[in-house]
Amino acid sequence: MLIEDFKLEKWINSREAITKIDLSATCPKALSLTELTKITGEDFSKMLDISLNYGQLHGTNRLKQAICNLYENANLDRITVTLGGIGANYLVLQTLVNKGDKVVCVCPSYQQMYTLPKTFGANVELFFLKDDWTLDIDQFKAVVGDDTKLICVTNPNNPTGMNFDLTSVVEVAKSVGAYLFVDEVYRGLNHSGYPYSKSAVDLYEKAIATGSMSKTYSLAGIRLGWIVANPNIIEQINSNREYNTISISALDDYVATIALENHEKIVERNLKIILENKKIILNFINSNSHFSWVEPNAGTIACINFDYDLTSEDFCASLFDKTGVLTIPASCFDMNQNFFRIGYAMDSQMLQEALNLISDWVRKTY
Amino acid sequence: MLIEDFKLEKWINSREAITKIDLSATCPKALSLTELTKITGEDFSKMLDISLNYGQLHGTNRLKQAICNLYENANLDRITVTLGGIGANYLVLQTLVNKGDKVVCVCPSYQQMYTLPKTFGANVELFFLKDDWTLDIDQFKAVVGDDTKLICVTNPNNPTGMNFDLTSVVEVAKSVGAYLFVDEVYRGLNHSGYPYSKSAVDLYEKAIATGSMSKTYSLAGIRLGWIVANPNIIEQINSNREYNTISISALDDYVATIALENHEKIVERNLKIILENKKIILNFINSNSHFSWVEPNAGTIACINFDYDLTSEDFCASLFDKTGVLTIPASCFDMNQNFFRIGYAMDSQMLQEALNLISDWVRKTY
């Protein structure tokens, strides 16, 4: 069974090798263990003596406890550990979706969230946010029905970088008894106030949340994600998990444990980068009247609107061809609007350089 | 979608926490990085400076080259890297199997190999080996037809520890143009002669082989497996892979690279353990007339027949209850025969102790 092309991945893969500056990347500057030692004080040479057997299949208890601490009401029975956020999302969708189910996905979103339910035979309805990236709750209520099995959301949202208030979405899910699945891989990077929003699982018994080390914790090379849900759902997921996972890297389990036990410090480091870089983008937008954005309030990504008479794909393809700056067109999110997604939690100088290249290119060309 | 219970995993999971000696484990004594340094000379403190970003999505070229070297005709385009052998098998089956396909699985086998095709909607035929664990090639030819899309084999075989000569299976597959998928996670541990048999992919253009670090290389905690196939198949698999993997642990990629570049030394270490422990089992069988085996010729596992009037499940359950020794009944491999599977590449003293407990228990009880 061939799954539909993953548009974003295809877009990146065909260009990655010849990219000059990669604004498609969504992770804050990646950490090494040496840098993680500076942040946490941990001596990672301990890992040399870990016995490299399968270990605890669903993650060590110490790791699962560190994950629990990111939620209000989690405990070890409500957690399983997976191959990154993508493995977490895969298992949730594979387990919950049956042929013929009605699934509503709030879009734009990470393509996995709606293509996989389609692949598993669901009737999938894409419910799009408004142009200001807010959700029209009345229209949403009208779309979700008693026959809705599952509502899928990414929050903070990918690609918009907007953090929803989930309360009204939860109310709609509750009113029809639907499962609410929220990909929360950008959670913990709210730009103002306390960095963590309430997780869906702390609002609703039938909510499932996924998280990972990649975005909020700058450790995408540590392939470790997780699922939080009520124990009954976790048990079902773990039963399917035996067919594609067994266990997670023993080294990654250890590194993730230390990182999550020090999550405030990593989040502080990342928010510093993010907030500085947001200023750089604001400056770019303020000095280029053809560009605008709905300012993101969380995470590491943003959508930049342009007013040139070009499709998003043509815009991003030309930009790449002429400057080597890689961005993601709206078309990769199944949208016709004129925007492109950037990740902006990279090295500040590189970001500035990329934006300069964009400014120069549009000035010369249009 | 809930997949059928994974019988072996359920059997282990319900007992693992209270197991005294685990003969269900199939990996040679796990290595730590400190031990791997002794074998390879590598200074693993280098890993402290690896940037923990996604890295090369399908595995670093150096890792893929080290994998290539285990095959006669592999090259980088014929390899992709996965979450262990289980992730490799999952992706192969998900990609190749469509609803209604005819799939023939040579059994007994690892349950994933036939349950997943069933889950994906295939018509799956289980073709069982004879009691001496050889394959009746004429009967096999009669079962495989022009409508057979895929033949699945584990070789060296799980649970029997027998290495097939694949030549005749390849001929049958070729004669109908079927894909031949061989799970080769125990390859490299032939008990006599050169430790590696010819891989299916070096015999047939439409063959797909999977391998992993877990068994042959004693690194199950390094969650790294791989798929070898022709570039067209790998491209299709990689397209699906974007929906459940992205990339593999950067730390595991590095460790696996070093281990595979030194694979002869690790195989030598493991075969030493295996051959010594086989003598211990032979001694047990020779001094217990109720037990027998078809002596395995590869890998780390074996099936032990018993002649008591008990089902395999009752035998293994009683054995566990009375002695704490965990073995796997034939029923976990969908067979009614009177045998249980053991892994025997563990610490020799533990193995001896477990066999003593079994001897004492049957002498007292039957």
Side-chain angles (χ1 to χ4, degrees):
Chain A
M1 160 179 71
L2 286 178
I3 309 174
E4 197 182 308
D5 278 354
F6 206 125
K7 295 185 183 73
L8 183 148
E9 299 293 340
K10 292 278 180 277
W11 180 267
I12 295 175
N13 291 349
S14 65
R15 292 171 173 85
E16 202 169 26
I18 49 167
T19 296
K20 190 172 164 190
I21 304 182
D22 187 3
L23 293 188
S24 80
T26 54
C27 306
K29 279 193 286 190
L31 293 165
S32 67
L33 295 178
T34 300
E35 289 167 297
L36 201 56
T37 295
K38 285 182 200 144
I39 295 174
T40 65
E42 181 77 4
D43 172 9
F44 284 98
S45 66
K46 282 181 200 165
M47 76 197 321
L48 299 177
D49 290 319
I50 294 174
S51 171
L52 296 170
N53 209 332
Y54 289 107
Q56 278 181 258
L57 298 190
H58 304 135
T60 57
N61 285 344
R62 185 174 163 192
L63 169 64
K64 289 201 284 184
Q65 188 55 55
I67 295 169
C68 283
N69 294 346
L70 305 175
Y71 303 87
E72 287 175 10
N73 300 309
N75 60 49
L76 299 193
D77 294 338
R78 292 168 63 89
I79 307 271
T80 197
V81 171
T82 62
L83 176 71
I86 197 154
N89 292 351
Y90 188 94
L91 277 165
V92 170
L93 293 168
Q94 186 202 42
T95 305
L96 291 184
V97 176
N98 291 308
K99 194 166 155 34
D101 284 345
K102 178 170 168 180
V103 174
V104 177
C105 183
V106 175
C107 287
S109 188
Y110 189 54
Q111 190 188 334
Q112 187 198 26
M113 299 292 277
Y114 49 91
T115 296
L116 279 183
K118 272 190 236 170
T119 303
F120 300 142
N123 301 317
V124 179
E125 183 136 6
L126 308 187
F127 181 85
F128 279 91
L129 298 175
K130 295 189 285 184
D131 282 351
D132 65 355
W133 308 137
T134 61
L135 182 134
D136 184 321
I137 198 73
D138 291 324
Q139 283 196 18
F140 187 60
K141 271 183 201 160
V143 165
V144 173
D146 287 341
D147 57 345
T148 300
K149 165 93 170 273
L150 173 66
I151 297 167
C152 300
V153 185
T154 59
N155 189 51
N157 182 255
N158 179 358
T160 68
M162 296 302 282
N163 190 42
F164 288 48
D165 175 7
L166 280 172
T167 320
S168 52
V169 176
V170 164
E171 272 168 29
V172 176
K174 268 187 190 165
S175 71
V176 297
Y179 291 104
L180 174 62
F181 169 32
V182 187
D183 173 337
E184 298 180 349
V185 296
Y186 291 96
R187 178 171 173 261
L189 293 177
N190 286 353
H191 296 173
S192 63
Y194 182 62
Y196 288 80
S197 300
K198 231 183 226 300
S199 167
V201 292
D202 288 322
L203 292 167
Y204 181 34
E205 165 71 9
K206 288 183 79 173
I208 303 103
T210 53
S212 96
M213 299 308 296
S214 301
K215 316 297 181 188
T216 307
Y217 309 104
S218 295
L219 291 164
I222 293 298
R223 299 306 299 141
L224 201 142
W226 57 85
I227 304 168
V228 190
N230 74 51
N232 175 43
I233 297 174
I234 291 293
E235 197 181 331
Q236 292 175 47
I237 287 171
N238 277 340
S239 186
N240 278 6
R241 185 179 176 282
E242 288 166 356
Y243 282 95
N244 82 353
T245 303
I246 302 182
S247 67
I248 289 298
S249 164
L251 302 177
D252 287 1
D253 187 307
Y254 164 54
V255 175
T257 301
I258 302 305
L260 291 180
E261 287 177 349
N262 292 275
H263 67 95
E264 297 93 341
K265 292 177 198 163
I266 298 175
V267 163
E268 189 186 345
R269 174 249 193 202
N270 289 345
L271 278 174
K272 192 158 173 275
I273 298 170
I274 287 165
L275 294 178
E276 276 181 22
N277 286 359
K278 245 174 101 170
K279 285 186 211 152
I280 294 173
I281 304 175
L282 269 168
N283 188 42
F284 164 79
I285 286 174
N286 290 339
S287 50
N288 286 276
S289 61
H290 295 281
F291 296 108
S292 63
W293 72 353
V294 181
E295 188 179 324
N297 62 13
T300 63
I301 51 179
C303 294
I304 312 278
N305 300 301
F306 58 87
D307 69 0
Y308 301 105
D309 188 21
L310 287 166
T311 65
S312 64
E313 196 160 331
D314 285 346
F315 181 88
C316 293
S318 298
L319 172 64
F320 181 76
D321 290 344
K322 299 298 180 189
T323 67
V325 174
L326 183 59
T327 60
I328 310 285
S331 58
C332 283
F333 300 97
D334 291 291
M335 294 178 86
N336 293 321
Q337 279 89 326
N338 285 356
F339 72 79
F340 56 92
R341 188 193 78 179
I342 61 166
Y344 60 87
M346 59 197 313
D347 177 81
S348 301
Q349 272 194 301
M350 290 285 272
L351 175 65
Q352 184 64 67
E353 192 183 336
L355 297 177
N356 290 346
L357 285 167
I358 297 176
S359 296
D360 290 349
W361 172 67
V362 293
R363 200 169 42 237
K364 282 178 199 153
T365 313
Y366 300 105
Chain B
M1 161 178 72
L2 285 178
I3 309 174
E4 197 182 309
D5 277 355
F6 206 126
K7 295 184 182 73
L8 183 149
E9 299 294 339
K10 293 277 180 275
W11 180 266
I12 295 175
N13 291 349
S14 64
R15 292 172 173 84
E16 202 169 26
I18 49 167
T19 295
K20 189 171 166 190
I21 303 182
D22 187 3
L23 294 188
S24 79
T26 55
C27 305
K29 279 192 288 190
L31 293 165
S32 68
L33 294 178
T34 299
E35 290 167 298
L36 200 56
T37 295
K38 284 182 199 144
I39 295 173
T40 66
E42 181 77 3
D43 172 10
F44 285 98
S45 66
K46 282 181 199 166
M47 76 197 323
L48 299 177
D49 290 319
I50 295 173
S51 171
L52 296 170
N53 209 331
Y54 289 107
Q56 279 182 258
L57 298 189
H58 304 135
T60 58
N61 285 344
R62 185 174 162 192
L63 169 64
K64 288 200 285 185
Q65 188 54 55
I67 295 169
C68 283
N69 294 346
L70 305 174
Y71 302 87
E72 286 174 12
N73 300 309
N75 61 51
L76 299 192
D77 294 338
R78 292 168 64 89
I79 307 271
T80 198
V81 171
T82 61
L83 177 72
I86 197 154
N89 292 351
Y90 188 94
L91 277 166
V92 171
L93 293 168
Q94 186 203 43
T95 305
L96 291 184
V97 176
N98 291 307
K99 193 165 155 36
D101 284 345
K102 178 170 168 180
V103 174
V104 177
C105 183
V106 176
C107 286
S109 188
Y110 189 53
Q111 190 187 335
Q112 187 198 27
M113 299 291 276
Y114 50 91
T115 296
L116 278 183
K118 273 190 236 170
T119 303
F120 300 142
N123 301 316
V124 179
E125 181 136 7
L126 307 187
F127 181 85
F128 279 91
L129 298 175
K130 295 188 287 184
D131 282 350
D132 64 355
W133 307 138
T134 61
L135 182 134
D136 184 321
I137 198 72
D138 291 325
Q139 282 195 20
F140 186 60
K141 271 184 201 161
V143 165
V144 174
D146 287 342
D147 57 345
T148 300
K149 165 93 170 272
L150 173 66
I151 297 167
C152 300
V153 185
T154 59
N155 189 50
N157 182 255
N158 180 357
T160 68
M162 296 302 281
N163 190 42
F164 288 47
D165 175 5
L166 280 172
T167 319
S168 53
V169 176
V170 165
E171 272 168 30
V172 175
K174 268 186 190 167
S175 71
V176 297
Y179 291 105
L180 173 62
F181 169 32
V182 187
D183 173 337
E184 298 180 349
V185 296
Y186 290 98
R187 178 169 172 261
L189 293 177
N190 287 353
H191 297 174
S192 62
Y194 182 62
Y196 287 81
S197 301
K198 230 182 226 302
S199 167
V201 291
D202 287 322
L203 292 166
Y204 181 34
E205 166 71 9
K206 289 184 78 173
I208 303 102
T210 53
S212 97
M213 300 308 296
S214 300
K215 316 297 181 188
T216 307
Y217 310 104
S218 294
L219 290 165
I222 293 298
R223 300 305 300 141
L224 201 144
W226 57 86
I227 304 168
V228 190
N230 74 52
N232 175 43
I233 298 173
I234 291 294
E235 199 182 329
Q236 292 175 49
I237 287 170
N238 278 340
S239 186
N240 277 6
R241 185 179 175 282
E242 289 166 356
Y243 282 95
N244 81 353
T245 303
I246 302 183
S247 68
I248 289 298
S249 163
L251 301 177
D252 288 1
D253 187 307
Y254 164 55
V255 174
T257 301
I258 303 304
L260 291 179
E261 288 177 349
N262 292 275
H263 65 96
E264 298 93 341
K265 293 177 197 162
I266 298 175
V267 162
E268 190 186 344
R269 174 249 193 200
N270 288 345
L271 278 173
K272 191 158 173 277
I273 299 170
I274 286 165
L275 295 178
E276 276 181 22
N277 286 359
K278 245 174 102 170
K279 285 186 211 152
I280 295 173
I281 303 175
L282 270 169
N283 188 42
F284 163 79
I285 287 174
N286 290 338
S287 50
N288 285 276
S289 62
H290 295 281
F291 296 108
S292 63
W293 72 352
V294 181
E295 188 179 324
N297 63 12
T300 63
I301 52 179
C303 294
I304 311 278
N305 300 301
F306 58 87
D307 69 0
Y308 302 104
D309 189 20
L310 286 166
T311 65
S312 63
E313 197 159 330
D314 285 346
F315 181 88
C316 293
S318 300
L319 172 65
F320 181 77
D321 290 343
K322 298 299 179 189
T323 67
V325 174
L326 183 60
T327 61
I328 309 286
S331 58
C332 284
F333 300 97
D334 291 289
M335 295 177 85
N336 294 321
Q337 279 89 329
N338 285 355
F339 73 78
F340 56 92
R341 189 193 78 178
I342 61 166
Y344 61 86
M346 57 195 315
D347 177 83
S348 300
Q349 271 193 303
M350 289 285 273
L351 175 66
Q352 185 64 66
E353 193 184 333
L355 296 177
N356 290 346
L357 285 166
I358 297 176
S359 295
D360 290 349
W361 171 67
V362 293
R363 200 169 42 239
K364 281 179 200 150
T365 314
Y366 300 104

